[in-house]
Amino acid sequence: VDGGGAVILVLSILAAIALGTIVITLITRVVRLRRTRRRDRLVAGPRKRLVALLVGGDDGGLDQLAGLSPAQWRALEPIAVTMLEKVSGNARHTLALLFERQGVIARALADLRRSRFYNRANAAETLGTLHCRAALPDLGSLLNASNEEMRVVALRALGRIGDPAYAEAMLDTLVHDPTTPASLVAYTLHQLGQQASPTLLHGMDHPSPQVRLAAITAVQLLGAPGSPGVCTRVAHALRTDESTAVRQRAAEALGRLGTQVALVALLDATSATTQTPAVRAAAVSGLGTLGARAAVAPLCVLLGDDEYSVAHAAARSLLRLGPEGRTALRDRSTGADRAAAHAAEAFAITTLGDRRLEGPATIPTARRIPVLHEST
Amino acid sequence: MALIMIADDDPDICDLVQFQLEQNGFEVAVANDGAKAIELARDRPPDLAILDVSMPGLSGLDVCRLLREEPTTASTRIIMLTTRIHEQDLEAGFNVGADDYLPKPFSLRELSQRVNVLIASTRR
């Protein structure tokens, strides 16, 4: 083959590849489109029936939906699953009944014991979403699974089901595997509600800083001391815990707990020489979250703190203390020192915020709404 | 018949709430985004609006603020629906003029009762 022939051969091969790719892409799209349309056709009627059933306007709907063909149920199931996460009360209960009648729960319970991770994880997700208490023992066992992802899925499922009896086992996952995110454990623990408070209280005394961090974060997410002594224990952690991360989180949590104990502990931490700047700044922010007027004067002093993060947090916290905080900021913003600069910055931001509230909302240009005339 | 407007980019929520409210004898208008909600409200001011906070483009908070600015919709009762349930989120909603807040996932029956209470308060 001469030079020109070789070029033509290469170009022909490239053209064939390109054409083949285009044909395959088109066929794939057509197949997908047909599949989607078929699914939409299959699901249209059952979806309407499902909506009516959840609203309580279709007495025989449950029987009819329970009797759907496997193909129709496969099409409807993802919709039903997403609805589970959008409604509560009777509608949710009805959906759970439908899943039970369709055999979803029995299948998932069986899948939870299968060897393949994919089956077990899917089953755990489904059972968690359905708040299936029958799955609790198996999900509890899966907290010790060798697969890290499986342990995370089991944690999430247990959090959704919300049985406080598993709170300790959930906290212990951090001991068995320190790579488990403490924030995830904390979030799932907070889903258990105030009944988990006794376990959280014990968790704050645990030797592992990860466990203490998760316990305090869960208290912070709960936003209220569920058991007597929780607030005092968090305040103690702020003063004495050896871990900076735990002390910082304790300061944030105290801001949300909002008691006199929290106020005193936060005020102490803002000026304690033993605390790091990060913890002091967290305590200052906590005072803003707490919203106590008694913090206005100490925060004004902290505006002049040598640590930028502390002074900056003080200005932001004053903003959150209502008219008294704003007045203090305005009064302090007229000087020429660092405190005045922090106050002026925060005050300028609040002025912008006020104008935004008073003025019209920003409307994206591309979607601008027609001007309203007086006559409309 | 009282007119209720639902603004939510989630078609499942729109369908569920629409069906529920129609069952209860209300007339319902549905918007799938904030801009459409404003258009609908300007075209025919609703007695009550149910707004999702997180919508593409104009958020529920923006819609709420705009409705409060319009003389024709300033007195429309507004319920915010949201997955954001932190104090500051609630505060932001009430600051722009919301009358009530309902966190997702929500009970359709509870929503219905809140709607009834707010609609009744407009007729006093």
Side-chain angles (χ1 to χ4, degrees):
Chain A
V1 183
D2 60 12
V7 170
I8 290 170
L9 184 63
V10 170
L11 285 175
S12 304
I13 291 170
L14 286 175
I17 291 171
L19 189 64
T21 308
I22 290 168
V23 169
I24 289 170
T25 306
L26 282 175
I27 289 172
T28 310
R29 285 193 178 179
V30 168
V31 169
R32 271 192 200 155
L33 189 66
R34 290 187 63 178
R35 202 181 286 165
T36 306
R37 283 185 180 164
R38 182 169 176 273
R39 196 182 55 216
D40 289 347
R41 272 200 310 275
L42 271 175
V43 87
R47 186 180 177 280
K48 274 186 190 165
R49 178 136 270 164
L50 181 65
V51 168
L53 174 69
L54 298 186
V55 169
D58 189 353
D59 291 338
L62 185 59
D63 289 335
Q64 295 215 2
L65 289 171
L68 287 178
S69 69
Q72 280 180 309
W73 175 248
R74 271 198 302 277
L76 184 67
E77 189 174 358
I79 295 171
V81 169
T82 58
M83 283 190 180
L84 260 178
E85 292 171 0
K86 294 168 188 169
V87 293
S88 63
N90 273 358
R92 192 174 208 293
H93 179 67
T94 307
L95 269 171
L97 276 179
L98 174 60
F99 278 96
E100 193 174 350
R101 296 271 302 269
Q102 275 289 348
V104 173
I105 293 176
R107 277 197 299 276
L109 283 170
D111 283 351
L112 217 45
R113 296 183 175 197
R114 286 173 68 170
S115 56
R116 282 183 64 205
F117 162 71
Y118 177 81
N119 294 110
R120 284 186 296 160
N122 258 350
E125 277 287 324
T126 304
L127 293 164
T129 308
L130 285 165
H131 300 181
C132 177
R133 299 185 64 81
L136 282 169
D138 283 338
L139 288 172
S141 303
L142 287 172
L143 287 177
N144 299 315
S146 55
N147 184 316
E148 182 190 334
E149 287 178 71
M150 190 63 244
R151 292 197 297 272
V152 167
V153 175
L155 250 180
R156 283 161 42 116
L158 284 167
R160 285 176 178 163
I161 298 171
D163 188 334
Y166 287 83
E168 199 171 335
M170 289 159 78
L171 259 181
D172 281 347
T173 54
L174 289 166
V175 181
H176 304 318
D177 178 16
T179 61
T180 308
S183 56
L184 173 71
V185 176
Y187 182 77
T188 53
L189 283 167
H190 119 275
Q191 287 179 303
L192 306 181
Q194 296 292 358
Q195 285 179 301
S197 290
T199 308
L200 299 179
L201 201 54
H202 288 305
M204 286 184 235
D205 289 324
H206 201 278
S208 160
Q210 284 287 87
V211 172
R212 299 199 300 276
L213 182 65
I216 292 178
T217 307
V219 169
Q220 180 191 4
L221 289 169
L222 283 168
S227 294
V230 166
C231 208
T232 308
R233 185 60 192 79
V234 179
H236 180 68
L238 172 60
R239 288 191 181 101
T240 62
D241 202 288
E242 63 191 29
S243 159
T244 305
V246 172
R247 294 202 306 278
Q248 199 169 332
R249 189 54 48 83
E252 292 162 5
L254 285 170
R256 286 210 71 201
L257 293 176
T259 62
Q260 185 64 25
V261 172
L263 176 64
V264 173
L266 287 171
L267 284 172
D268 287 349
T270 58
S271 54
T273 51
T274 50
Q275 297 288 13
T276 63
V279 176
R280 290 181 60 224
V284 170
S285 296
L287 287 171
T289 310
L290 196 67
R293 288 177 189 167
V296 171
L299 286 172
C300 282
V301 175
L302 288 163
L303 279 174
D305 199 275
D306 289 338
E307 282 294 337
Y308 176 88
S309 58
V310 174
H312 185 72
R316 294 307 175 103
S317 287
L318 279 167
L319 275 186
R320 300 173 71 186
L321 294 184
E324 286 185 32
R326 288 187 184 205
T327 305
L329 265 183
R330 193 183 54 217
D331 293 347
R332 200 67 190 79
S333 64
T334 51
D337 56 355
R338 285 168 56 85
H342 282 293
E345 184 211 17
F347 197 65
I349 287 170
T350 190
T351 309
L352 285 175
D354 283 347
R355 282 190 189 147
R356 187 168 183 271
L357 287 178
E358 285 160 13
T362 311
I363 303 168
T365 319
R367 311 178 63 160
R368 195 170 285 279
I369 299 158
V371 176
L372 180 69
H373 299 293
E374 288 294 322
S375 57
T376 51
Chain B
M1 188 186 288
L3 173 66
I4 297 176
M5 179 179 75
I6 310 160
D8 198 314
D9 57 331
D10 182 336
D12 290 338
I13 297 283
C14 288
D15 286 354
L16 285 168
V17 176
Q18 180 176 18
F19 200 101
Q20 172 80 38
L21 296 176
E22 284 176 352
Q23 289 270 103
N24 293 359
F26 294 110
E27 189 180 350
V28 180
V30 177
N32 295 118
D33 59 52
K36 178 75 180 166
I38 294 292
E39 276 181 23
L40 283 178
R42 285 173 172 173
D43 189 41
R44 192 175 157 209
D47 298 282
L48 184 144
I50 299 169
L51 307 175
D52 177 31
V53 170
S54 306
M55 288 188 284
L58 282 178
S59 74
L61 295 176
D62 291 330
V63 175
C64 183
R65 191 183 302 118
L66 285 167
L67 292 181
R68 285 286 174 255
E69 285 172 3
E70 300 283 350
T72 51
T73 54
S75 60
T76 294
R77 300 292 181 182
I78 296 175
I79 299 176
M80 307 298 295
L81 276 184
T82 182
T83 48
R84 299 176 180 181
I85 48 165
H86 290 300
E87 288 161 75
Q88 56 266 42
D89 299 317
L90 298 180
E91 203 178 306
F94 288 122
N95 278 345
V96 293
D99 294 293
D100 203 353
Y101 233 104
L102 196 58
K104 293 179 185 176
F106 60 95
S107 153
L108 289 162
R109 193 177 286 184
E110 185 182 346
L111 173 67
S112 191
Q113 283 170 350
R114 289 183 189 223
V115 166
N116 287 335
V117 168
L118 285 173
I119 288 291
S121 72
T122 63
R123 292 175 175 168
R124 275 182 205 140

